[in-house]
Amino acid sequence: MAFDLLNMGSQGLLTAQRQLNTTSHNINNVNTEGYSRQSVVQQTNDPIWWGGSQHGTGVHAAEVRRGYDQFATNELNITTTNLSYATEREGQLGRLDNMLANSSKKIPEDMNQWHDAVKAMADSPNDLGSRKVVIEKAKLVASGLNDSYGILAKQKSEANEVLSGTLNRVNDIGRELVEVHKALIKTPASGADNDLMDRHQNLINELSQYTKVTVTPKNNETFNVMIGSGHTLVSGTESSELRMINGKPDPQQTQLAIVEGKALKTIRNDDIGGKLAALFQYRDETLSQTMDEMGRIAIGFSDSVNELQSQGLDLNGEVGGNLFHDVNDSVSAAARARVPAGSTADLKVYIEDINQLKVGEYGLTFDGSQHTLTSPDGSRQSVVPSGNPAAFAVDGLRIQMDSPIGIGERIAIRPTRDGAGNIKALLDDPAKIAAQSYLSSATKTNGNADLAINAAGGLNEFQVAVSPDASQFAVLDMKGNILQAPQVYPPSGEVNVGGTRFTLSSGAMGGDVFAVNLNAADGDNGNLIKMQDLQAQKIMNDGRSSVIDVYEGLNTEMGVQKASASRLKEVGLVEKDAAQSRVAEIAGVNMDEEAANMMKFQQAYMASSRIMSVANDTFDTLLNIR
């Protein structure tokens, strides 16, 4: 009897001691980040049969259990991923919004100052001082757009650096998880190492900041850790590697890929979640959209001014040259098409109508029988290039194929991406500003055709009249006499009359008359008046916006996106706080509860000690019986 009593007392003592040790461990780690409360699970020993009855044999500590709930932990991982995405997104848009807010004053102000300089020059068209001011203000417009482009390009470069650093950390986490798994395998089969499991969960918590994470247990006490929508980062004691690879067709537009064994699999940027998704979205969508819009603004402003320059005469009586860089020079046209490495395709993208010009990236493919164009909005259409060289038109663009696209190749077409970086004021001679319009007041048009003088010859005054049905045109003198017989409208190329060469675009309405006067007129400011009108003229977005309207629209759009990101962050904070509270209820250390447990287990320890004392006294009494 004494032996049984002593045995039960010692088992109770050891169990209480383990409970006290575990409680002390909890108290010591109350401020340890990621620590999960531990508790001793005690069970009764198997009973024995004696005298036809069951008799208890005491208690033992079955296991030390870690406070953990898979559902609550998964919810915390998801909310951590969502909050990390929203926080990163808000920070990025905040920086961009600040940049646009600063330049939102500078760029429109520079453009308005240029228009003011043109207005002042219109009062004295022959004044070289006024002309110099127009050129200097043009340089300021170009410089402001160049600076904005440089800032955006730098932000793209910085985003790539952050992406690289983030991927390195994700790969490090993968390797650390493998080390934890190896240690878990070595853990005795009697139970998991709770502190190792906490370390494992801390790594998962950090990983969930960068990407969506799914954790599933394996049979050998390890786990499969998958990121995004099912890409395996860790499987037991093996880890994969995330890597940035050259994009196609643009190698500089790097893509995310995962190395699984010897296989390399690309991952869609919107399939990853967390901070990585926000970085890719900012680099590939937000910054690209902003650069496209800034480029469209630069192209719209410079091309419209250049077009008016070509419709006037300078102080030397010559047709005006470009004030800004030609948006359709061969280098710029070729740079708008990104051809895959090793391809022999040669494309040039010419901008013919800024009113129809859209932002975003087009994709052109060839399957061996037909060409398919994917628009920025995702819609697809078959296109049929024609002519020599083959070309087709879409959204104000003329895409010319000097060398054909290979079967299966994809060409990325970015009409405006580099526009703000390419704009440059070319004129240095103030006398070359075309103040005088060569289209006189006798011009009467209802259509939107353009007549451009390419070279002045012996014929200085004439009219170009379009037939009532707009099927033909004729060249007349100012009295209505025919100088050149009617021809098919629109002409296929340049028209030469008496050495004067001009082009006439499509879009004229029946009865339109273009009256040309190439005689220099002292003090004429007709072309400057047209330049002034550009300030408010709706020449973009299908006649709905001026150039400055487009910039203000971009500024507003980025502000709206930032506000949405801020709201998403607020929601994410609430959801994560709720998830953390649920995890804390299960895994958090409560000092009041631990203090109560300490007292309870201390009393159990003392009571078990008393049992052992009684057993010892009883045993001594039995030994002393004579």
Side-chain angles (χ1 to χ4, degrees), residues 109-281:
E109 183 178 321
D110 289 343
M111 290 182 178
N112 288 330
Q113 286 183 0
W114 182 84
H115 286 291
D116 290 342
V118 170
K119 183 178 180 180
M121 178 182 162
D123 295 334
S124 51
N126 294 345
D127 180 43
L128 290 180
S130 297
R131 289 172 169 263
K132 287 180 180 179
V133 173
V134 171
I135 291 177
E136 290 304 315
K137 295 301 181 182
K139 291 179 179 178
L140 284 178
V141 172
S143 176
L145 288 165
N146 293 158
D147 290 345
S148 295
Y149 178 84
I151 292 172
L152 295 171
K154 183 179 179 182
Q155 288 195 14
K156 268 205 168 187
S157 177
E158 290 173 350
N160 281 328
E161 292 177 4
V162 176
L163 275 170
S164 178
T166 303
L167 289 188
N168 289 338
R169 180 54 190 151
V170 170
N171 290 330
D172 287 343
I173 290 174
R175 288 187 283 268
E176 290 178 35
L177 285 170
V178 166
E179 294 303 316
V180 172
H181 288 178
K182 290 178 179 179
L184 286 172
I185 292 175
K186 297 176 183 178
T187 302
S190 57
D193 186 322
N194 291 325
D195 294 328
L196 265 179
M197 291 302 299
D198 281 345
R199 181 183 170 196
H200 186 273
Q201 187 58 50
N202 284 339
L203 290 170
I204 296 298
N205 290 344
E206 183 183 355
L207 183 61
S208 64
Q209 297 177 21
Y210 307 127
T211 175
K212 293 185 290 187
V213 183
T214 304
V215 182
T216 56
K218 297 185 71 175
N219 294 330
N220 60 350
E221 304 300 329
T222 63
F223 299 86
N224 285 330
V225 180
M226 291 173 286
I227 61 175
S229 297
H231 309 287
T232 303
L233 179 66
V234 175
S235 178
T237 57
E238 300 292 333
S239 66
S240 302
E241 179 187 3
L242 290 176
R243 185 181 296 176
M244 297 296 288
I245 61 173
N246 290 340
K248 293 181 181 180
D250 182 3
Q252 296 181 346
Q253 193 80 357
T254 52
Q255 294 178 288
L256 181 62
I258 187 168
V259 182
E260 296 178 339
K262 295 183 179 180
L264 182 66
K265 181 176 67 174
T266 58
I267 300 175
R268 283 181 28 223
N269 297 341
D270 58 355
D271 187 35
I272 196 71
K275 181 179 179 180
L276 283 172
L279 286 167
F280 278 115
Q281 183 178 3

Side-chain angles (χ1 to χ4, degrees), residues 202-523:
N202 284 339
L203 290 170
I204 296 298
N205 290 344
E206 183 183 355
L207 183 61
S208 64
Q209 297 177 21
Y210 307 127
T211 175
K212 293 185 290 187
V213 183
T214 304
V215 182
T216 56
K218 297 185 71 175
N219 294 330
N220 60 350
E221 304 300 329
T222 63
F223 299 86
N224 285 330
V225 180
M226 291 173 286
I227 61 175
S229 297
H231 309 287
T232 303
L233 179 66
V234 175
S235 178
T237 57
E238 300 292 333
S239 66
S240 302
E241 179 187 3
L242 290 176
R243 185 181 296 176
M244 297 296 288
I245 61 173
N246 290 340
K248 293 181 181 180
D250 182 3
Q252 296 181 346
Q253 193 80 357
T254 52
Q255 294 178 288
L256 181 62
I258 187 168
V259 182
E260 296 178 339
K262 295 183 179 180
L264 182 66
K265 181 176 67 174
T266 58
I267 300 175
R268 283 181 28 223
N269 297 341
D270 58 355
D271 187 35
I272 196 71
K275 181 179 179 180
L276 283 172
L279 286 167
F280 278 115
Q281 183 178 3
Y282 184 63
R283 188 197 70 172
D284 297 341
E285 296 180 20
T286 307
L287 285 178
S288 295
Q289 176 190 357
T290 306
M291 294 175 82
D292 285 342
E293 283 287 21
M294 295 293 285
R296 187 161 71 118
I297 291 164
I299 290 170
F301 183 80
S302 60
D303 188 60
S304 58
V305 171
N306 284 347
E307 182 179 355
L308 286 179
Q309 272 285 109
S310 69
Q311 294 178 11
L313 302 177
D314 61 20
L315 279 181
N316 302 319
E318 298 176 352
V319 175
N322 287 336
L323 175 57
F324 292 100
H325 166 83
D326 181 7
V327 300
N328 283 327
D329 76 314
S330 59
V331 174
S332 297
R336 295 182 183 120
R338 300 299 174 95
V339 179
S343 173
T344 59
D346 184 8
L347 278 75
K348 292 182 175 61
V349 181
Y350 296 98
I351 296 173
E352 296 191 331
D353 187 354
I354 59 174
N355 199 16
Q356 299 181 45
L357 192 59
K358 296 180 180 178
V359 298
E361 179 177 299
Y362 296 79
L364 182 63
T365 57
F366 180 58
D367 63 4
S369 60
Q370 69 177 12
H371 293 83
T372 301
L373 184 73
T374 303
S375 298
D377 61 5
S379 61
R380 297 162 62 89
Q381 59 177 309
S382 295
V383 293
V384 182
S386 59
N388 187 22
F392 64 92
V394 61
D395 296 338
L397 306 174
R398 181 169 60 86
I399 300 173
Q400 179 176 302
M401 303 167 61
D402 293 336
S403 294
I405 303 173
I407 297 175
E409 290 182 347
R410 181 184 183 277
I411 309 297
I413 297 171
R414 300 166 181 167
T416 67
R417 183 69 52 87
D418 299 326
N422 292 336
I423 185 173
K424 182 180 179 181
L426 300 180
L427 279 187
D428 288 321
D429 185 355
K432 292 187 177 181
I433 296 177
Q436 176 184 341
S437 174
Y438 55 64
L439 291 177
S440 70
S441 58
T443 298
K444 300 184 185 303
T445 61
N446 293 312
N448 55 10
D450 292 322
L451 185 146
I453 301 296
N454 297 333
L459 184 64
N460 289 334
E461 288 189 80
F462 59 93
Q463 301 179 78
V464 178
V466 179
S467 64
D469 61 357
S471 63
Q472 294 182 311
F473 76 97
V475 180
L476 316 173
D477 63 16
M478 299 310 292
K479 295 181 180 180
N481 299 315
I482 295 177
L483 299 177
Q484 190 175 77
Q487 303 178 41
V488 174
Y489 175 78
S492 57
E494 196 175 64
V495 180
N496 189 328
V497 183
T500 297
R501 303 196 306 275
F502 69 87
T503 57
L504 180 61
S505 70
S506 59
M509 296 184 67
D512 282 357
V513 176
F514 300 87
V516 178
N517 185 349
L518 297 178
N519 296 313
D522 188 37

Side-chain angles (χ1 to χ4, degrees), residues 571-626:
V571 173
L573 281 170
V574 172
E575 291 179 342
K576 186 179 180 182
D577 286 345
Q580 282 182 322
S581 297
R582 281 188 284 274
V583 171
E585 290 175 1
I586 299 166
V589 176
N590 185 306
M591 290 299 290
D592 292 337
E593 182 181 354
E594 299 302 326
N597 285 339
M598 183 68 75
M599 295 177 62
K600 180 174 68 174
F601 299 143
Q602 182 183 16
Q603 291 172 355
Y605 184 90
M606 293 174 63
S608 296
S609 298
R610 182 59 181 161
I611 292 173
M612 292 180 67
S613 296
V614 170
N616 186 59
D617 291 344
T618 303
F619 190 71
D620 288 342
T621 301
L622 292 173
L623 288 176
N624 292 328
I625 293 175
R626 295 181 180 179

Side-chain angles (χ1 to χ4, degrees), residues 7-59:
N7 186 51
M8 285 192 288
S10 64
Q11 289 181 347
L13 185 72
L14 290 173
T15 301
Q17 185 181 36
R18 290 173 182 173
Q19 289 171 327
L20 285 169
N21 290 341
T22 302
T23 302
S24 299
H25 186 54
N26 289 339
I27 294 172
N28 290 337
N29 286 281
V30 65
N31 294 318
T32 301
E33 185 177 355
Y35 176 78
S36 300
R37 181 175 63 87
Q38 299 176 13
S39 58
V40 175
V41 178
Q42 64 180 51
Q43 292 180 355
T44 57
N45 292 332
D46 293 336
I48 61 171
W49 283 90
W50 184 64
S53 300
Q54 277 190 346
H55 293 268
T57 59
V59 70

